[in-house]
Amino acid sequence: MQKYVCKVCGYEYDPAEGDANTKIKPGTPFEKVPEDWICPLCGASREEFEPCE
């Protein structure tokens, strides 16, 4: 699964890990993350993320 990185702070969303702070379960691809989800480090919107290379 594709990892995504926050363009603002560099936080990396790893689908294998999910985001326990917002109850996004491990195995959740970025495309399935809710539209209102924000970066857990800097609060940037989901639109500020791009695929990792």
Side-chain angles (χ1 to χ4, degrees):
M1 283 187 276
Q2 177 72 53
K3 293 180 182 180
Y4 280 73
V5 65
C6 176
K7 296 184 284 186
V8 177
C9 73
Y11 169 80
E12 197 171 282
Y13 174 77
D14 183 349
E17 296 178 11
D19 180 15
N21 294 328
T22 56
K23 299 181 181 167
I24 296 174
K25 295 180 181 179
T28 303
F30 190 77
E31 294 77 17
K32 299 284 184 179
V33 171
E35 291 293 325
D36 62 349
W37 181 80
I38 59 171
C39 177
L41 292 185
C42 73
S45 69
R46 193 173 173 273
E47 289 78 34
E48 294 298 326
F49 281 74
E50 63 186 9
C52 292
E53 293 183 16

